[in-house]
Amino acid sequence: MSARDVSGVGDTAHARDEAIALLTQLIRIPSPSREEHVSAEFLARWLGDRGVAAERIGNNIVAGAGDRDASKPTVLLDAHHDTVRPVSSWERDPYDPLVDNDRIIGLGSNDAGGCVAAMTMTYLALHTRRDLPFNLMLALSAEEEIAGEGGITAVMDAIGPVDLVLVGEPTDMQLAVAEKGLMVLDCRAHGVAGHAARATGINAIGIAMRDIAWLARYEFPRHSALLGPVTMTVTQINAGTQHNVIPDRCDFVVDIRVPETYEHQEILETLRRGMRSELQPRSMRLRPSAIDERHLIVMAGRALGLRAFGSPTMSDQALLRVPSVKIGPGRSERSHTAGEFLLIEELDRGLRLYPLLLERYAEYLQ
């Protein structure tokens, strides 16, 4: 497979114009997590109009599942079409896309509509190629912003084995080869109620304060070369019913970001040994991920001059149990902000680099 065969996806004005049109149409469709049915219908119809038979799994759209050659590995391109709800500081209609000189402005343009457009165009260019040494599939997934069970998890359960996933998220088209997981703990310190004037009882706030101080001091010994240490941040606290009653309960929440050097269960057991408060994890699903630096997709990215890095933000990778990398047009710091935008040159770069990355990966496979 030559560079000329696949690297032209983003080289024509037609491909760019079609990608921009797809992105602007997506922006016009409100698609907050669990409410993506309209955008799912649109994407299925858009692919069908271009000769691609797409399967709908909930609000996820999947192409290529029925065309796999069992003798070849399968590569899945995955980008999410759900968005967060718009913040109140938008100064214009977030669902009214504006193509303004060098950028496309609108909710979801950066996270992750640009990835949807670039990955979809890449799939259209390559999915009929029978000489590829891998099966190529496309998933336009739902519920990513809430890590919902109706998102990529439902897709993977339905389609069966996959060998590699390229997760579309705004990384400036650099290669995120590791990603921190998340565990949120609901913590409750128990005390004994009493009258504040008599200083009777056991103040649950004091117990919580000691636990919070312990959290601030404690450092997990194993650090990740790419993601650094485990980080623990108390983000909410609540106690007391009135000024003259010693509270018998203090609730607080801890946000824990976990590198690939630890499993959630090990973190939880360590904290339970060190703290007096009752600890209850909301979920153990959002695990860290990392791919071997010798994996062919990592080698392919480096051969193209892409930088490999560890990402502090989460994506569908947290729910995948197969090798994956995160890569896409746009920049993470623009996500979930008022005035969210994607530069057209960033979209162009995605249209160019996705097929080049697949080309180089194919060369290494052969």
Side-chain angles (χ1 to χ4, degrees), residues 116-180:
V116 169
M119 281 189 164
T120 300
M121 294 301 297
T122 298
Y123 180 79
L124 284 178
L126 300 180
H127 79 284
T128 58
R129 293 285 302 273
R130 298 304 172 209
D131 59 330
L132 292 174
F134 53 81
N135 302 300
L136 186 63
M137 293 181 57
L138 175 70
L140 305 177
S141 54
E143 298 189 20
E144 187 278 339
E145 295 291 359
I146 59 170
E149 294 185 3
I152 193 62
T153 301
V155 171
M156 300 302 283
D157 288 346
I159 66 176
V162 168
D163 298 277
L164 173 67
V165 184
L166 271 58
V167 176
E169 289 283 347
T171 68
D172 198 26
M173 288 307 293
Q174 302 303 315
L175 208 61
V177 296
E179 178 182 279
K180 278 192 171 182

Side-chain angles (χ1 to χ4, degrees), residues 261-279:
T261 48
Y262 284 95
E263 294 288 340
H264 285 15
Q265 189 63 40
E266 186 177 0
I267 300 284
L268 181 60
E269 290 171 0
T270 299
L271 298 188
R272 281 176 169 163
R273 288 194 297 268
M275 299 168 63
R276 289 180 60 187
S277 297
E278 174 189 347
L279 309 181

Side-chain angles (χ1 to χ4, degrees), residues 42-54 124:
F42 162 72
L43 287 166
R45 185 171 60 252
W46 192 95
L47 287 166
D49 289 345
R50 286 151 184 83
V52 175
L124 284 178

Side-chain angles (χ1 to χ4, degrees), residues 32-81:
S33 302
R34 295 202 177 103
E35 299 177 25
E36 311 97 335
H37 51 284
V38 177
S39 56
E41 290 172 4
F42 162 72
L43 287 166
R45 185 171 60 252
W46 192 95
L47 287 166
D49 289 345
R50 286 151 184 83
V52 175
E55 176 185 2
R56 183 164 174 177
I57 302 168
N59 287 329
N60 306 282
I61 301 301
V62 178
D67 301 327
R68 284 188 281 184
D69 180 342
S71 68
K72 296 179 180 180
T74 296
V75 177
L76 175 66
L77 304 177
D78 165 51
H80 68 93
H81 62 100

